[in-house]
Amino acid sequence: MILGLILIVLLLIYLNNKKDYSVDINEQYNEIPDGFGVSIHKGIKDSDIQAVADAGFRWARIDIFWSDVEKVKGKYDFESSGYDKLNSALKKKGIRPYYILDYENPIYQKNRSITTNEGREAFAKYVEATVERYGNQNGIWEIWNEPNTQTFWNEQPSERDYARLVKKVAPIIKDKDKSSIIVAPALAGVSEEALIWLEKVLDQNVLPYIDAVSVHPYQYDNPETVIKRYSRLKQMLKTYSKKDIPIISGEWGYSLANTDKQKPITEMQQAEYIARMLLINNSQKIPISIWYDWKNDGQDLNNREHNFGINSYHSTPKLPYLSIQTLTTTLEGYKFSRRINTKNRNDYILEFVNNDMKKVIVYWTTDTSHYIEVPLKSGEGKIISMLGAERKVKWENKKGINLLTSPTYLVIK
């Protein structure tokens, strides 16, 4: 009898303490720009971190490299490796950390992977030390980056060893930092091949260990095409869990470089894509969206990795910076309400509402520019272009709008 009561009490304590982010993530970060973030790299200057905040980003995603922290077995150096300074700078500007726990450490294993018991034990100790250092910031802990690729997990196939790693370190993170979100995997792409890899990981029962799945929906076409891919992923997750598993867009950008795989895009197109990507993600209930990259990694115009930034290599703002700043300023405090359908399925007219029931309508097209009229109660307000130009407008019963490939904001007074 007494043993039974003890078991009931322990069960109640467990259920009370058990984290369930299936609701929290989706609801907590659906207000713009609470779920918007950007990828940064080690060595970023304080002035850049200030500019990250000025752009309206609330998250910064960055690796905490295991090999930088533990150069001598059992000793973890967060100060000289620069992470203490970085963490402090982010906190001062109110930017939440989205930390990636990765990669290999040559003092334990040469390949970029964790495939041995010794490696998992050592990685777990590094994770424990890191989470103890930077936990309790309502941040995100991501277990590895793109483990479904040869570049970031060598050798493939990686599904079984990656699942073992998640099951090893996720309980440590949960124990040390109850305020955090645990994300795994950071899936490269949302192609059929990538989803097949994800299924193999899910088959090993990793969902109880994590709070969200992250994908990197890089593609060479319009951001809007991701909607079908999200739908496919959501259906897959439903077959593995009765909960609504959150999907995070953990890394996604468009390079200006001319490559074999991608036609070169202009700086204006990059400005359009960053706004459209963030707006589409928000409308699809993707609670957190991370743009890649904050600034160009180099100055070679033909190098894809050098040309993802919304700032130049020397931190000069590009048009995408102005685009995101206009979006976050105009829609701050607003939540997605509905899509207003037209006869043209390539038209996107999205309504956003704030707590005072004020509305902003954002519209664009993936088609050629054209003019339409939409039913709208008589009123007045202002139109704001993607890059921030404003003008006052009035209308009666309907509003004529000119849809461009760049988003336009109709702020209703």
Side-chain angles (χ1 to χ4, degrees):
M1 182 70 176
I2 295 176
L3 179 60
L5 289 173
I6 292 173
L7 290 173
I8 291 172
V9 170
L10 290 174
L11 177 62
L12 290 173
I13 291 173
Y14 168 76
L15 292 173
N16 185 56
N17 291 330
K18 186 176 183 293
K19 291 195 303 180
D20 180 2
Y21 281 107
S22 59
V23 174
D24 291 352
I25 299 174
N26 286 328
E27 292 190 358
Q28 188 173 358
Y29 302 115
N30 64 356
E31 188 174 287
I32 294 175
D34 290 348
F36 293 171
V38 67
S39 290
I40 61 175
H41 298 299
K42 193 177 176 184
I44 188 171
K45 297 177 181 178
D46 287 348
S47 58
D48 276 303
I49 293 177
Q50 177 64 62
V52 168
D54 291 342
F57 289 118
R58 298 291 193 263
W59 295 86
R61 181 175 181 263
I62 186 170
D63 304 90
I64 297 186
F65 294 119
W66 179 18
S67 57
D68 283 354
V69 169
E70 188 184 1
K71 294 183 181 296
V72 177
K73 285 188 176 184
K75 294 184 179 180
Y76 307 98
D77 184 358
F78 296 97
E79 186 175 355
S80 65
S81 59
Y83 292 114
D84 278 355
K85 181 181 178 182
L86 170 67
N87 190 75
S88 177
L90 293 176
K91 287 177 69 174
K92 286 179 182 177
K93 300 304 175 185
I95 299 171
R96 291 186 176 184
Y98 186 135
Y99 285 140
I100 316 165
L101 299 162
D102 57 17
Y103 287 112
E104 80 287 356
N105 192 325
I107 63 176
Y108 294 101
Q109 187 167 329
K110 291 182 179 180
N111 286 350
R112 176 164 280 188
S113 57
I114 306 293
T115 57
T116 65
N117 288 331
E118 181 192 13
R120 278 187 287 274
E121 289 293 335
F123 188 82
K125 290 177 181 178
Y126 140 77
V127 168
E128 182 175 11
T130 305
V131 175
E132 283 183 342
R133 190 84 168 191
Y134 304 127
N136 299 310
Q137 297 186 81
N138 295 304
I140 290 176
W141 296 105
E142 188 168 77
I143 304 171
W144 213 271
N145 174 63
E146 300 188 350
N148 59 314
T149 67
Q150 181 76 13
T151 301
F152 294 108
W153 190 288
N154 180 11
E155 297 281 337
Q156 295 288 331
S158 57
E159 301 93 343
R160 193 169 298 277
D161 282 321
Y162 177 70
R164 288 194 187 106
L165 189 67
V166 171
K167 292 179 180 181
K168 177 69 177 179
V169 303
I172 296 171
I173 301 172
K174 285 181 181 286
D175 180 60
K176 297 294 180 181
D177 183 4
K178 291 180 171 56
S179 74
S180 67
I181 301 166
I182 300 177
V183 174
L187 189 70
V190 279
S191 65
E192 279 302 310
E193 182 182 6
L195 295 182
I196 289 171
W197 182 92
L198 178 60
E199 276 191 301
K200 292 178 180 178
V201 172
L202 297 178
D203 282 338
Q204 295 171 73
N205 197 35
V206 299
L207 284 181
Y209 293 84
I210 63 175
D211 302 312
V213 170
S214 171
V215 294
H216 298 172
Y218 286 99
Q219 47 201 335
Y220 301 106
D221 47 16
N222 293 331
E224 294 77 12
T225 60
V226 79
I227 294 174
K228 290 184 179 179
R229 297 182 175 103
Y230 283 149
S231 178
R232 168 83 170 84
L233 176 55
K234 289 175 182 178
Q235 287 300 318
M236 176 193 293
L237 292 173
K238 283 181 180 179
T239 66
Y240 286 90
S241 176
K242 294 180 180 179
K243 297 192 302 180
D244 183 13
I245 304 297
I247 299 169
I248 288 175
S249 177
E251 185 181 313
W252 183 2
Y254 287 85
S255 174
L256 299 187
N258 184 10
T259 67
D260 293 337
K261 292 184 178 180
Q262 175 188 307
K263 296 178 182 177
I265 63 172
T266 66
E267 189 175 315
M268 178 61 80
Q269 284 177 299
Q270 192 184 43
E272 294 175 353
Y273 285 171
I274 187 172
R276 285 160 50 181
M277 179 270 276
L278 292 170
L279 291 165
I280 285 295
N281 276 355
N282 191 261
S283 74
Q284 296 302 303
K285 297 184 179 179
I286 304 300
I288 296 172
S289 299
I290 307 295
W291 174 266
Y292 187 88
D293 197 0
W294 171 246
K295 61 185 288 186
N296 287 350
D297 293 339
Q299 302 182 76
D300 183 353
L301 298 179
N302 295 314
N303 186 317
R304 186 168 182 261
E305 285 298 322
H306 285 192
N307 292 278
F308 278 101
I310 61 172
N311 294 273
S312 73
Y313 179 72
H314 298 290
S315 298
T316 304
K318 294 159 57 179
L319 292 178
Y321 181 95
L322 185 55
S323 175
I324 181 62
Q325 194 173 54
T326 301
L327 190 162
T328 57
T329 301
T330 304
L331 289 179
E332 184 172 8
Y334 283 79
K335 300 177 183 179
F336 173 73
S337 173
R338 64 188 178 112
R339 179 179 177 182
I340 301 171
N341 292 318
T342 70
K343 294 180 180 179
N344 188 340
R345 64 181 182 179
N346 297 316
D347 292 347
Y348 292 83
I349 305 177
L350 308 184
E351 179 186 86
F352 293 83
V353 181
N354 68 8
N355 291 333
D356 296 325
M357 299 309 294
K358 291 185 177 181
K359 296 180 180 180
V360 175
I361 295 175
V362 190
Y363 53 89
W364 72 91
T365 186
T366 60
D367 209 341
T368 56
S369 301
H370 57 276
Y371 176 89
I372 64 171
E373 292 182 336
V374 293
L376 193 62
K377 184 179 178 181
S378 299
E380 59 183 287
K382 60 182 177 180
I383 286 179
I384 303 175
S385 74
M386 180 184 73
L387 299 181
E390 297 185 16
R391 64 183 178 89
K392 295 180 180 179
V393 291
K394 292 183 179 181
W395 60 90
E396 294 197 15
N397 298 322
K398 59 185 177 181
K399 178 73 179 73
I401 59 175
N402 189 35
L403 290 105
L404 312 170
T405 52
S406 57
T408 302
Y409 305 87
L410 174 60
V411 182
I412 301 174
K413 191 173 180 180

